[in-house]
Amino acid sequence: MTDKETRERIISVVKREVVPAIGCTEPMAVALCTAKATEQLHCRPEHIDVKLSANILKNAMGVGIPGTGMTGLPIAIALGALIGKSEYQLEVLKDLTPEALEEGKKYVAEGRIAISLKEGACDKLYIEVTTSSGAKSSSAIIAGGHTHFVTEDTVTTATDSATDDIELNMRLVYDFATTAPLDEIRFIEQTRAYNMNAAREALKGNYGHNLGKTIERPMSKGIFGNSIFSHIISRTASACDARMGGAMIPVMSNSGSGNQGICATNPVCVYAKENENTEEELIRALMLSHLTAIYIKQSLGPLSALCGCVVASIGSSVGITYLMGGNYERVCYSVKNMIANLTGMICDGAKPSCSLKITSGVSTAVLSALLSIEGKCVSSTEGIVDEDVDKSIHNLTAIGANGMGITDDMVLRIMTSKKASQTSK
């Protein structure tokens, strides 16, 4: 068992990285920054100037804003100024009302919002908002984390302090998740309450591409069957459909991403229920899944050219492997099998079709877990997989954080030029 001080530091990191969020975290972070700048202005702003890193802009262009029926940043920014509360963090717009929405639409139509790329070098996760009214103005900056304020005029949230950070490795992740006193890690079960509820609520409406609902239909059951596998895909895709489609449904995020939180949670919960695992096994599997994702994100960074479902699906694969009875060796097999398959999946922004990528990730997670339990593992002679599991993970993150930089630039150019051509028509 890991010592008490180490356990406390790990728990602090998990509680910081696994938090509730409503809607896509990138536009919500922009709304949060707007809310903070507006609060400091002490009045309704006449104009809002927003400067964003390329990755934030990419992830916020095409995603639904909860409760609005609209997509993109302008309405999120307007509502952040009009009804947003910074104390709500990534649930900043949860006080939305129909009246506020109409006011927000009017604010956007009046042309009070300017959005541009931040010039010069900046963090991949960078948001700068300046609100002004007459001669008064106030600015707020978020950088490095979705709720991490970094200006002198604002106060860094205690939950975003890096003082409790601990350098993780796969052995430490596994030992902590499987041996820590159950009462210390029971809080991770909240992810099931949030994210499985999102899947249920999604079936009541038509969100995104309805991928989750499609998998539940008779024709799909004729293809996938009425199986644990199809249920895992459906429950995970449904929650993503709702989130990307703008449903006012909170989810528990992981490392600043609601989709990653869903992907690290729902496959594990569905498998545990249908495999009749115990409550303790489920709690430990959820912790193993979420902490694995957090570990990988430590070297990948909060935003990158690599799709976040790759990271979260690795987490769900090791969680499912544990529920299948797998030990540390088999968990490492699952990680390597995942890296051999999904490396290179690009992030081209947050949008309804993210549910398709999540389905690919979750399908691979189940396949990798099954292979690992059979003692099958991609060898170190194949591709970027190394004999050492941690080296394999760092090979993956090096490609995502560094090697795919040109890809990230190209994706943004394609997306912005397409948007411009659509607007001109």
Side-chain angles (χ1 to χ4, degrees):
M1 181 185 294
T2 51
D3 63 84
K4 183 174 178 58
E5 180 184 354
T6 299
R7 296 200 310 271
E8 289 176 349
R9 292 177 67 192
I10 293 174
I11 288 169
S12 178
V13 171
V14 174
K15 287 185 174 180
R16 187 185 76 217
E17 298 294 349
V18 180
V19 296
I22 294 177
C24 176
T25 48
E26 277 72 52
M28 290 306 103
V30 178
L32 171 64
C33 197
T34 304
K36 174 66 79 172
T38 302
E39 289 164 1
Q40 294 170 167
L41 189 66
H42 301 298
C43 66
R44 175 172 169 162
E46 296 173 354
H47 186 78
I48 304 173
D49 185 65
V50 181
K51 293 181 172 61
L52 305 172
S53 63
N55 287 78
I56 288 288
L57 187 62
K58 178 183 74 174
N59 277 1
M61 286 172 59
V63 69
I65 305 303
T68 69
M70 302 171 69
T71 61
L73 282 167
I75 189 64
I77 293 167
L79 293 174
L82 297 175
I83 55 99
K85 293 182 180 178
S86 63
E87 65 190 80
Y88 292 165
Q89 300 284 281
L90 293 178
E91 296 181 286
V92 59
L93 300 184
K94 69 178 181 180
D95 287 343
L96 179 64
T97 63
E99 294 76 20
L101 176 57
E102 290 308 309
E103 192 176 359
K105 290 178 179 179
K106 181 181 177 183
Y107 194 94
V108 172
E110 290 171 347
R112 298 180 181 273
I113 300 169
I115 304 170
S116 61
L117 274 174
K118 173 67 176 178
E119 294 182 2
C122 67
D123 195 275
K124 287 188 175 182
L125 197 166
Y126 183 90
I127 303 163
E128 179 181 330
V129 178
T130 300
T131 54
S132 59
S133 179
K136 294 171 56 180
S137 67
S138 178
S139 296
I141 295 175
I142 286 176
H146 289 77
T147 59
H148 187 212
F149 288 97
V150 295
T151 62
E152 292 181 356
D153 297 328
T154 57
V155 180
T156 303
T157 54
T159 54
D160 284 317
S161 171
T163 56
D164 292 317
D165 274 357
I166 182 170
E167 188 173 341
L168 298 169
N169 58 65
M170 202 62 220
R171 180 84 241 187
L172 179 58
V173 167
Y174 179 85
D175 287 348
F176 170 80
T178 58
T179 66
L182 197 61
D183 286 344
E184 291 184 10
I185 62 172
R186 190 179 296 276
F187 68 90
I188 200 67
E189 201 170 17
Q190 290 180 335
T191 61
R192 174 177 65 172
Y194 273 82
N195 296 347
M196 290 300 290
N197 178 65
R200 289 188 293 270
E201 289 297 314
L203 298 178
K204 299 177 182 179
N206 291 311
Y207 298 106
H209 297 293
N210 280 323
L211 180 57
K213 291 179 75 171
T214 298
I215 295 169
E216 288 289 310
R217 289 173 180 153
M219 182 176 70
S220 298
K221 288 184 177 179
I223 297 171
F224 291 106
N226 190 19
S227 62
I228 296 177
F229 180 66
S230 67
H231 298 164
I232 285 174
I233 296 173
S234 173
R235 305 299 188 274
T236 309
S238 291
C240 180
D241 283 334
R243 181 173 174 269
M244 293 290 94
M248 202 69 173
I249 301 171
V251 301
M252 196 68 81
S253 64
N254 181 298
S255 304
S257 168
N259 281 348
Q260 287 172 196
I262 291 167
C263 200
T265 302
N266 291 19
V268 176
C269 292
V270 173
Y271 184 86
K273 180 180 180 180
E274 302 206 18
N275 194 51
E276 298 183 352
N277 287 99
T278 65
E279 180 187 29
E280 177 176 349
E281 288 169 338
L282 171 59
I283 291 170
R284 295 194 182 281
L286 283 171
M287 180 57 74
L288 181 57
S289 177
H290 279 274
L291 191 55
T292 297
I294 292 169
Y295 163 40
I296 297 172
K297 294 291 281 189
Q298 280 187 337
S299 55
L300 181 63
L303 295 177
S304 75
L306 185 71
C307 179
C309 84
V310 175
V311 175
S313 295
I314 294 174
S316 62
S317 187
V318 301
I320 291 171
T321 301
Y322 172 78
L323 292 172
M324 289 178 172
N327 57 14
Y328 177 69
E329 180 185 42
R330 294 299 191 261
V331 161
C332 292
Y333 282 6
S334 291
V335 173
K336 294 178 184 180
N337 291 340
M338 290 292 291
I339 291 172
N341 192 325
L342 288 182
T343 297
M345 182 182 289
I346 65 167
C347 171
D348 55 343
K351 58 209 175 302
S353 60
C354 284
S355 60
L356 291 165
K357 293 188 178 185
I358 279 183
T359 298
S360 296
V362 170
S363 300
T364 304
V366 176
L367 176 62
S368 295
L370 284 170
L371 282 174
S372 71
I373 290 298
E374 292 292 322
K376 304 297 183 182
C377 176
V378 174
S379 71
S380 59
T381 63
E382 302 175 65
I384 68 167
V385 172
D386 193 275
E387 188 66 31
D388 179 75
V389 67
D390 295 298
K391 180 61 176 174
S392 297
I393 287 171
H394 288 117
N395 289 345
L396 168 72
T397 59
I399 290 172
N402 304 315
M404 294 176 69
I406 296 175
T407 300
D408 213 17
D409 294 340
M410 178 62 74
V411 168
L412 182 64
R413 282 198 298 272
I414 291 171
M415 290 176 65
T416 53
S417 63
K418 180 179 64 174
K419 196 80 173 179
S421 65
Q422 290 173 346
T423 303
S424 65
K425 291 180 180 179

